[in-house]
Amino acid sequence: MDPHKKNIALQNCNQIGIDDLIKFIDTNAITLQEFVQAGLSTNNVEELQARVKKVENDRSKETERLEKERIEEEQKRNLQEGKKQLTDQILMKQVGAEKIKRAIESDFISFNDLEAAGLNKTTLNSLKHFCNTKSVTKRTTIDELPAMEEGRTDLYFVGVPGSGKSTMLAGLLKTANDKGKLMPDTYNNAGSIYQTNLITDLNRGVLPNATIAGSYNYVALSLKDDNGKKHPFNIVEIPGENYVNIFNNAEVEGILKYINNSNKKILVFVIDALAHDTNYSESPSPLDQNLAYTNILQMFKTNGILEKTDAIYLVANKFDTIIENYYAHDNRPNGDRAEEFLNKNFFNFIENCKMAREETRNQFKIKTLPFSIGNVVYNNIIENFNTDFSESLINLIINDSFVVKGGVSKVLQSK
């Protein structure tokens, strides 16, 4: 402000209206302190102070309002960007189903969002089933299981946590059901319910949950061969943690006592080929399977399980990833490729199986084979279920198992 005009305004400050005084202060031409020093009347000073305070308060509120709007807009942009980023990751299959489930439950995204983004409808329905199905798996201890029925072949899927035992069983059951080979038995109703849940989930494109630690599942069923003969099985699903306990020589007497009956047995060692290939970097169990399974085998041998064993299968599970990484241009049959993979990576375990066979009266068969449930996305969703591996496994266990003649097992007839 021009100094001359400023001096005139200060000299005549008591003749200037309040609104004009406020304008001087608002434009920083003259300060309130300068008006006070120039002799501005007390009433005018008080009025100015009140007006200045109100203006400052109004400005502060406006600033707060604008800042709030800015933050809300930024949060809205971030939310939309976050939704778009997650949706893009889902479309590119870069996240797990559990993360998708949490996002759905928190209303961060919706199934409508995914549908609008172009997610495959079949995959979308599988995710809906995964997210909306409540787990009803009951924890069942070894003491709560019914006694295994005699006159059957006991089938065990042996594997560390995350190796894919439940998934392999689900694939076997679904394929047997689809092929008309599955004959559920009423001996253990809880097992029949579990069997139905496994098939239902897989039919809807969802892999089974891992077996609850410390919990067991027992399924009694029969498989029909191509000649219409009935092959009855006891299938006991033991959680991977218990096989870790066997490896660590922990308390396992209850398990060994339960499975050590007079029935013939098939032991399916489920080898997580992917975990081994990635050096267990993302595996639920850090145990080296080559060492763990060798120790478990010896435990079975020491407790007489192998004396009643007719066959041991070494199954390279999740073999589709191994094919992709190592055998993409290898035209040999999957069985040959799996045998090579297992001999290269699990040679010591295979040799221990052969040695155990030589030291056992029952000269059990040793077979290597590959297995894959098909293309798995989001860790829990199956796309393009592959029946070939499951069907091959079914044929093997039928060929190596006890068969009922005349509709009643020989063991039961002899009683």
Side-chain angles (χ1 to χ4, degrees), residues 264-275:
K264 296 296 186 180
K265 308 179 193 309
I266 297 175
L267 305 179
V268 182
F269 283 88
V270 183
I271 297 170
D272 190 337
L274 177 61

Side-chain angles (χ1 to χ4, degrees), residues 3-17:
H4 179 66
K5 292 181 178 179
K6 180 177 180 178
N7 286 332
I8 293 175
L10 288 171
Q11 290 172 7
N12 300 292
C13 60
N14 286 306
Q15 282 76 46
I16 300 174

Side-chain angles (χ1 to χ4, degrees), residues 1 16 23 75 95 103 120 131 169 191 256 265 286 302 365:
M1 184 178 185
I16 300 174
K23 290 179 182 178
Q75 289 175 338
V95 297
N120 177 278
C131 294
L169 174 58
L256 295 172
K265 308 179 193 309
T302 301
K365 303 169 186 175

Side-chain angles (χ1 to χ4, degrees), residues 90 96-105 109-111 114 123-135 204 206 380-381:
I90 293 172
E98 285 291 347
K99 182 174 182 178
I100 297 173
K101 182 177 181 178
R102 291 194 298 270
I104 294 290
E105 290 176 342
I109 59 171
S110 69
F111 290 118
L114 298 180
T123 303
L124 182 66
N125 287 335
S126 296
L127 282 171
K128 286 181 179 179
H129 181 68
F130 176 85
C131 294
N132 294 330
T133 301
K134 303 298 182 183
S135 177
R204 295 178 180 175
V206 177
N380 296 86
I381 305 300

Side-chain angles (χ1 to χ4, degrees), residues 128-350:
K128 286 181 179 179
H129 181 68
F130 176 85
C131 294
N132 294 330
T133 301
K134 303 298 182 183
S135 177
V136 293
T137 303
K138 175 181 177 293
R139 187 180 186 275
T140 305
T141 66
I142 194 74
D143 296 328
E144 294 172 323
L145 290 179
M148 280 192 285
E149 191 173 26
E150 295 182 4
R152 295 173 174 272
T153 299
D154 296 344
L155 179 64
Y156 299 101
F157 290 91
V158 182
V160 296
S163 56
K165 300 182 298 299
S166 298
T167 295
M168 189 176 294
L169 174 58
L172 184 153
L173 293 172
K174 171 177 164 54
T175 302
N177 184 65
D178 292 345
K179 300 294 182 180
K181 296 176 178 290
L182 179 62
M183 293 178 283
D185 294 332
T186 57
Y187 176 67
N188 178 27
N189 186 57
S192 298
I193 294 173
Y194 178 63
Q195 170 185 287
T196 299
N197 289 338
L198 288 178
I199 296 174
T200 300
D201 284 346
L202 205 54
N203 280 338
R204 295 178 180 175
V206 177
L207 296 185
N209 291 324
T211 307
I212 300 174
S215 183
Y216 300 78
N217 294 303
Y218 167 38
V219 179
L221 58 82
S222 294
L223 296 176
K224 182 176 63 175
D225 64 26
D226 293 336
N227 297 317
K229 298 289 180 62
K230 182 179 179 181
H231 297 249
F233 291 93
N234 292 317
I235 301 177
V236 179
E237 192 177 33
I238 300 175
E241 289 78 8
N242 290 87
Y243 287 117
V244 174
N245 289 340
I246 292 177
F247 173 76
N248 292 324
N249 292 315
E251 188 70 25
V252 292
E253 283 80 2
I255 304 169
L256 295 172
K257 181 180 179 181
Y258 183 75
I259 68 177
N260 199 350
N261 54 38
S262 61
N263 289 337
K264 296 296 186 180
K265 308 179 193 309
I266 297 175
L267 305 179
V268 182
F269 283 88
V270 183
I271 297 170
D272 190 337
L274 177 61
H276 178 82
D277 189 53
T278 56
N279 200 26
Y280 306 97
S281 59
E282 298 180 3
S283 173
S285 172
L287 280 179
D288 185 313
Q289 295 172 101
N290 207 350
L291 300 174
Y293 292 157
T294 299
N295 199 25
I296 293 169
L297 177 76
Q298 292 304 317
M299 181 72 75
F300 284 152
K301 178 176 179 293
T302 301
N303 287 271
I305 305 298
L306 298 186
E307 295 292 346
K308 305 177 186 87
T309 297
D310 282 348
I312 289 181
Y313 301 160
L314 282 64
V315 184
N317 194 23
K318 308 176 187 178
F319 197 65
D320 51 319
T321 58
I322 300 302
I323 292 175
E324 183 179 338
N325 292 339
Y326 297 101
Y327 300 109
H329 305 292
D330 187 333
N331 295 322
R332 287 178 298 163
N334 285 329
D336 292 344
R337 294 187 284 190
E339 183 178 10
E340 178 181 285
F341 174 82
L342 290 170
N343 274 312
K344 179 180 178 181
N345 296 283
F346 293 87
F347 182 71
N348 186 64
F349 178 44
I350 294 173

